[in-house]
Amino acid sequence: MHKDAKHFLDWEHRDVHNVYGLYQQMSTAQGQIQRSTKNERPFVLSRAFFSGSQRWGAVWTGDNTGEWAHLKISMPMLLSLNLVGITFSGADVGGFFKNPDAELLTRWYQAGAYQPFLRAHAHLDTRRREPWLQPEENMKAIREAIRARYSLLPYWYTLFYVGEIRGGPIMKPLWVDFPADKATFTDEDSYMIGSALLVHPVTDAGSSGVNVYFPGKTVWYDVDTYTVYPGGMTHYIPVTLNKIPVFQKGGTIIPRKNRIRRASNLGRFDPYTLVICLDPQGSAEGDLYIDDYHTFRYRQGEYIYRKFTFENKKLKNRNIDYKGTYKTTSWLEQVIIVGLQSKPTHVEVTGSSSERKSLDHSYIPETKVLVIRRPGVNIGEDWTISLQ
């Protein structure tokens, strides 16, 4: 639009163009809230946004193209949006225009599964590209990426809660968490999801491996194989079509839900698995936020916010926000401790009633992984699991 085409009160169009997009999203969200008598949370997705749009819904990066270059550039675009507060953001998986081949579509789903907003979207004139229309190998790889996404929803949900109350990005450049490590300053191929997961999507056709830089003085664990990688150096990671290079930082605890459901709402009361990756000192910590996933009642205190700590061979679950009054029936189904140097002779859980119970467990010496089965304690109550 020409600069001399002025709006009311002599405003140029460039000053109000994106503000208009903000008000469209805001008014739609407010309308949904009013329609539900201020009870239900809205979901409004907008392509146009401005500073403050993060208060009203999600955004996406606009009409991209089904090309490898557009997959690659989507990551620095989303990192930039997260840094300025637009955290619930994503790119059209597969590209809006053109027709991606099966490999590109697979790699795009794998990248999108580890970004804040995941959505496949395409122009009406493009060829059908649903995952079940792809060759079987690609279909299975896409399915596994989506399942990985769903299993991490407790982690994602906790990150979004912390983002709401404290601000800060959810998808982050490495330098945000490692500002003293200069090697992270120009790295746009890898990024952090929260402070526990490092992701390096495959963005080149026919790749058989990627070079991943692991920052910090800690250790990192491959989330699939539990292979250990020391920080402060670059490692070559072989990849196959179904491999997504994702690594959990030593010293972190991630809550997961591993049961497969047709929709996330059907798993809201499912049991949890805690994946504990130990740092070189043998300790770790993490958190978990729970509410009804639907209404604004969390703002009246109907939520749970817990902290998990593993230290001196004891896993503790404690309340870190006593204003929360929500109750849940979800329980702890499994604990996976990665990086444990020796097999314990006995594992027991002490619940909120101080009753002790021995737990079934197994140890894999090759990967130094301890699996504790069915502790059975409520995820929203205090308890301690001890290794002896």
Side-chain angles (χ1 to χ4, degrees), residues 270-272 274 308 315 317 328-335 348-353 355-357 359 373-385:
D270 278 356
Y272 287 85
L274 296 181
F308 307 109
L315 170 62
N317 177 10
T328 181
T329 59
S330 294
W331 50 283
L332 182 62
E333 183 174 41
Q334 184 175 240
V335 177
E348 66 178 22
V349 59
T350 305
S352 55
S353 62
E355 180 181 353
R356 295 183 178 183
K357 181 179 73 170
L359 299 177
R373 286 178 283 276
R374 298 184 70 85
V377 285
N378 190 294
I379 202 70
E381 298 177 358
D382 289 359
W383 42 259
T384 300
I385 295 178

Side-chain angles (χ1 to χ4, degrees), residues 15 40 62 66 167 182 262 334 344 386:
D15 295 318
E40 297 179 348
K182 295 181 180 180
R262 289 173 295 149
Q334 184 175 240
S386 303

Side-chain angles (χ1 to χ4, degrees), residues 227-267:
T227 302
V228 185
Y229 297 96
M233 59 182 65
T234 298
H235 297 270
Y236 179 77
I237 310 298
V239 298
T240 57
L241 182 65
N242 63 354
K243 175 62 178 175
I244 313 172
V246 181
F247 309 88
Q248 184 170 339
K249 185 174 70 173
T252 62
I253 301 175
I254 290 183
R256 306 174 71 107
K257 287 187 175 182
N258 290 334
R259 296 192 179 183
I260 299 171
R261 300 293 189 183
R262 289 173 295 149
S264 59
N265 185 56
L266 299 176

Side-chain angles (χ1 to χ4, degrees), residues 141-366:
I142 293 172
R143 181 175 61 191
E144 288 306 309
I146 295 173
R147 284 179 176 175
R149 166 75 170 204
Y150 273 68
S151 72
L152 284 169
L153 285 182
Y155 180 64
W156 282 106
Y157 202 72
T158 300
L159 292 178
F160 273 102
Y161 170 71
V162 174
E164 177 177 337
I165 63 174
R166 300 178 188 171
I170 292 172
M171 175 182 176
K172 302 179 286 186
L174 300 184
W175 54 261
V176 173
D177 282 1
F178 302 93
D181 191 339
K182 295 181 180 180
T184 66
F185 292 178
T186 58
D187 192 340
E188 294 183 339
D189 298 321
S190 301
Y191 54 85
M192 297 293 298
I193 298 298
S195 295
L197 289 180
L198 186 153
V199 185
H200 186 111
V202 179
T203 58
D204 292 304
S207 290
S208 57
V210 292
N211 290 307
V212 180
Y213 178 73
F214 294 93
K217 297 180 180 180
T218 185
V219 292
W220 300 81
Y221 300 88
D222 186 300
V223 298
D224 299 315
T225 66
Y226 301 127
T227 302
V228 185
Y229 297 96
M233 59 182 65
T234 298
H235 297 270
Y236 179 77
I237 310 298
V239 298
T240 57
L241 182 65
N242 63 354
K243 175 62 178 175
I244 313 172
V246 181
F247 309 88
Q248 184 170 339
K249 185 174 70 173
T252 62
I253 301 175
I254 290 183
R256 306 174 71 107
K257 287 187 175 182
N258 290 334
R259 296 192 179 183
I260 299 171
R261 300 293 189 183
R262 289 173 295 149
S264 59
N265 185 56
L266 299 176
R268 62 192 185 279
F269 302 124
D270 278 356
Y272 287 85
T273 291
L274 296 181
V275 180
I276 304 172
C277 287
L278 301 180
D279 63 17
Q281 290 72 45
S283 60
E285 64 178 28
D287 55 356
L288 173 65
Y289 173 82
I290 305 171
D291 60 22
D292 65 12
Y293 308 108
H294 186 70
T295 72
F296 284 109
R297 287 196 286 270
Y298 73 96
R299 293 181 177 174
Q300 283 74 52
E302 294 191 25
Y303 63 87
I304 296 169
Y305 192 29
R306 311 291 300 185
K307 183 172 184 178
F308 307 109
T309 58
F310 185 89
E311 193 173 16
N312 298 323
K313 295 187 177 182
K314 289 186 177 182
L315 170 62
K316 296 181 180 181
N317 177 10
R318 297 294 183 263
N319 191 1
I320 53 175
D321 190 340
Y322 288 94
K323 292 180 292 185
T325 60
Y326 188 71
K327 303 295 182 182
T328 181
T329 59
S330 294
W331 50 283
L332 182 62
E333 183 174 41
Q334 184 175 240
V335 177
I336 301 173
I337 303 178
V338 187
L340 192 67
Q341 296 303 311
S342 60
K343 178 182 179 180
T345 58
H346 181 71
V347 179
E348 66 178 22
V349 59
T350 305
S352 55
S353 62
S354 298
E355 180 181 353
R356 295 183 178 183
K357 181 179 73 170
S358 297
L359 299 177
D360 183 31
H361 61 280
S362 60
Y363 183 75
I364 307 171
E366 293 79 12

Side-chain angles (χ1 to χ4, degrees), residues 108-171:
W108 214 317
Y109 267 103
Q110 292 172 339
Y114 289 92
Q115 293 168 354
F117 179 62
L118 168 64
R119 181 187 70 147
H121 183 50
H123 191 275
L124 181 65
D125 293 332
T126 58
R127 293 196 298 265
R128 297 288 296 270
R129 58 170 83 158
E130 286 85 353
W132 54 86
L133 297 178
Q134 306 307 310
E136 184 175 7
E137 182 183 15
N138 299 84
M139 181 271 292
K140 289 182 177 180
I142 293 172
R143 181 175 61 191
E144 288 306 309
I146 295 173
R147 284 179 176 175
R149 166 75 170 204
Y150 273 68
S151 72
L152 284 169
L153 285 182
Y155 180 64
W156 282 106
Y157 202 72
T158 300
L159 292 178
F160 273 102
Y161 170 71
V162 174
E164 177 177 337
I165 63 174
R166 300 178 188 171
I170 292 172
M171 175 182 176

